[in-house]
Amino acid sequence: MCFGTKTGGLAQETVLPAAALQPCPAGLSLDEAAAYMVIGLTAWVALARVGQLRRGETLLVHGAR
């Protein structure tokens, strides 16, 4: 297993504060749970930072899977 850091480092082991950890959602494998966090962050960056979507604005999702 390989862990990534916010600064782009990779390691086979890492030390994190307990507050940085979250339980895996029920029914997901470890791989799926890891991807779950990345997908959410990617969507947030695309909408909030790049697209500058603000509270009260409307977003049309033209296609989704």
Side-chain angles (χ1 to χ4, degrees):
M1 185 176 295
C2 186
F3 297 95
T5 67
K6 290 181 180 181
T7 58
L10 295 174
Q12 291 183 349
E13 295 181 14
T14 187
V15 177
L16 298 169
L21 303 176
Q22 294 184 357
C24 292
L28 295 183
S29 69
L30 290 177
D31 291 339
E32 291 169 331
Y36 182 81
M37 295 301 293
V38 173
I39 292 167
L41 180 59
T42 300
W44 180 84
V45 168
L47 296 174
R49 296 192 73 184
V50 176
Q52 298 181 352
L53 188 68
R54 301 287 181 237
R55 187 180 303 263
E57 293 182 327
T58 302
L59 170 70
L60 171 64
V61 177
H62 193 347
R65 184 173 186 207

